[in-house]
Each structure stands twice: as structure tokens, then as C-alpha cells.
Amino acid sequence: MFFLGMLFTLWIGVSLGLTFLTHMYEYWIILWVFLGLIAGIIFDILFALIFIEIGARTNPKSKFKVFVLRNALKLAFMFYHIHVTSEGLENVPYNTPFVMYCNHKSMMDPAAIYIEINRIVSAIGKKSLWGFWPMNHICKCFGALPMDRDNDRQAVKDMLVAIKAVKEGMPMIIFPEGGIKSRDVEEMVSLRAGAYKLAMKAEAPIIPVAIMGSSEIAKKKRYQRKDIHIIFHKMITKEEYQDKNTTEVGTFVESLINEDIRKYEDK
């Protein structure tokens, strides 16, 4: 969308310059090209801000909004030379709510998953992301839900809201490490058992997700290509975990994710 707007207004600037200023010096045409470029950038920024504002107020299950957001993310990843591949997409059900538990090494992780799965999905993020504009509107635009890690009482309330959303049919992405704990290794290095209450209380299937390569994103240079690979593990049904507690489920999911990461790194 950004590049289309920029090219469109650039074309207008060039056309006007050639039409009305051909009798003048060449630097006037260069000026029109420059003004067209600036106008294109301003147009795209305004369009993005308006879309974010409207998107924050509309239904997170809107298929049109999801289509626009997914393609905007694809364009952003292309611009920053981030290439995403995946395997196991057949393990992601289309009509069943689920909870994805993933290792977390970069702020790009939820966006990479959002691009790869062809369905509506929400996510849980740290509450501080909702504390400033436009990040709070971007989170609302994606239908994300806040989780207060510093206030146990509020965290319980936030978890109940997320459980209700899953029960009502909204798939959810959560990073059970409780933030980015280490970028030195791809594996999960921390376990917050309480995060698994989301799936267990909602009686939803669990999909372990291993993300490789995103730990290098923060270190990459602007034009350096980076690859992210995602493995969607086979779904764990309610019947498979219903006799376990949250710590046992968390340990099991963590072992599956780390095993997938080690197998991928050994290839």
C-alpha cells in the first residue's frame, strides 16, 4: 500500500511537471518529482494512521481487515528483507479455536505467525504495549489482549478475558516465557505454568509452535536478509492434557518446542 501510494503520487508529480513546466528549466521537473515523492510518503502515512484508528474500533474478526493487515505485514517484511517459511500448517485447524504456545525471541514473532496462518487469530501481549499511541491502537487493530505481568490480581482478570475470547471462538497466540528472556539460544528458557491455564480453562486444543531465526532480527543490518522458519507442531487435544496440571502441560509443550528447534538446527 505504501509503495502504491508513493508511486501514484510520484507519477502525478512527474505528469504535471512535464505538462505544465516543459518550457522551463529541467530543475523544475526534478522539483515536481521530489514533491511527488514527499506527497506519496505523506499520503501513505495518513492512510496508515486512519486505517489503524478505524481498525482499532472494528470487529477483530473482520475478514477484510485481516486481509489488509496480513498483506501489510507481508509488505513490511519484504521491505526489511525478512523471509518467513513454515511447515506443519496442516496442523492448524481452520474452524476450531485453539491456543498456540511459542518460544519468543523477537517482537516480530507474532507478526511472522500472523502472516503464515491463513485465518483470524489474536494474541496476548504485555500490558505496557497498550500504554502509548499508536502501539495501543495497533494492538487493538489486531484484536490483541493485554496481560499485566506485574499485578497478579489484574493478571487473573486479564486471563479470564482471554479465556472467554477463546471459548467464543477466537484462536489465541501466547508466549509462555513471559517475554523475551534470551536471544542467545532459540530454545525456550523459561516456564510460566500459569500461561497454560488459558488453553486448559477454555478446554481448547494446544498447538506448540517453534520459531527459528527471529533471535537474529535485532542484530541484522537494514539490507541484510534474515530467514525465519516456523514449525507448527501437531495439535494436543483436551483429552490428552485434561489429567495433567499446568506445570506438567507446560513442561511437555516446552520439550516439544525445544525438540523441534534442535532437530531443525541439526539439519
Side-chain angles (χ1 to χ4, degrees):
M1 195 67 70
F2 174 85
F3 294 106
L4 288 177
M6 188 170 65
L7 289 174
F8 177 70
T9 47
L10 177 61
W11 173 76
I12 292 177
V14 173
S15 298
L16 289 174
L18 291 174
T19 303
F20 298 107
L21 299 174
T22 49
H23 64 287
M24 298 184 180
Y25 296 104
E26 291 182 358
Y27 62 79
W28 283 102
I29 298 177
I30 297 174
L31 176 62
W32 272 102
V33 172
F34 176 75
L35 291 176
L37 180 64
I38 297 300
I41 293 173
I42 293 173
F43 170 82
D44 287 307
I45 291 174
L46 289 175
F47 177 85
L49 292 176
I50 292 171
F51 181 82
I52 289 171
E53 184 68 32
I54 295 174
R57 301 172 186 271
T58 55
N59 188 344
K61 295 183 180 180
S62 166
K63 291 184 178 180
F64 173 74
K65 185 171 74 170
V66 171
F67 172 80
V68 174
L69 290 173
R70 181 170 287 115
N71 282 279
L73 287 174
K74 286 181 179 179
L75 190 60
F77 272 51
M78 187 186 304
F79 182 75
Y80 284 102
H81 299 276
I82 300 173
H83 184 241
V84 184
T85 56
S86 64
E87 57 185 281
L89 279 172
E90 68 277 4
N91 296 322
V92 181
Y94 190 77
N95 295 314
T96 303
F98 54 79
V99 181
M100 286 184 171
Y101 288 89
C102 327
N103 59 316
H104 194 22
K105 305 299 173 182
S106 167
M107 294 293 288
M108 296 289 191
D109 291 339
I113 295 173
Y114 198 87
I115 287 173
E116 284 300 289
I117 60 175
N118 187 28
R119 66 161 302 175
I120 296 167
V121 66
S122 183
I124 291 179
K126 58 183 179 181
K127 191 172 183 178
S128 59
L129 293 175
W130 276 256
F132 59 95
W133 191 92
M135 197 64 206
N136 54 353
H137 277 56
I138 293 175
C139 290
K140 291 178 183 178
C141 197
F142 282 92
L145 300 175
M147 179 65 67
D148 193 334
R149 302 171 186 164
D150 301 320
N151 186 322
D152 291 340
R153 180 174 294 181
Q154 184 59 45
V156 171
K157 294 179 181 179
D158 294 337
M159 181 61 75
L160 291 175
V161 172
I163 291 169
K164 183 174 182 290
V166 175
K167 284 184 174 181
E168 291 176 350
M170 176 63 81
M172 199 71 62
I173 300 169
I174 187 170
F175 301 95
E177 292 174 276
I180 300 173
K181 301 302 181 183
S182 172
R183 288 193 173 99
D184 296 328
V185 293
E186 298 285 3
E187 290 93 341
M188 293 181 71
V189 296
S190 177
L191 172 64
R192 287 198 173 190
Y196 293 89
K197 290 181 180 179
L198 175 57
M200 297 176 75
K201 294 293 185 181
E203 298 183 339
I206 292 173
I207 301 179
V209 178
I211 306 172
M212 285 74 69
S214 66
S215 60
E216 298 294 321
I217 297 297
K219 307 172 188 176
K220 92 176 195 72
K221 296 179 181 179
R222 167 65 184 81
Y223 293 102
Q224 182 182 9
R225 170 174 165 151
K226 284 296 180 182
D227 295 313
I228 295 177
H229 187 71
I230 304 173
I231 299 176
F232 298 95
H233 199 276
K234 184 179 178 181
M235 188 168 60
I236 303 170
T237 64
K238 179 188 71 172
E239 290 72 25
E240 293 178 84
Y241 67 68
Q242 63 184 359
D243 295 327
K244 297 180 174 64
N245 59 40
T246 54
T247 301
E248 291 171 332
V249 173
T251 302
F252 179 58
V253 171
E254 180 180 348
S255 68
L256 292 176
I257 291 173
N258 288 344
E259 183 181 0
D260 283 342
I261 292 172
R262 286 190 290 269
K263 285 181 179 179
Y264 180 79
E265 291 177 338
D266 291 339
K267 287 182 180 179

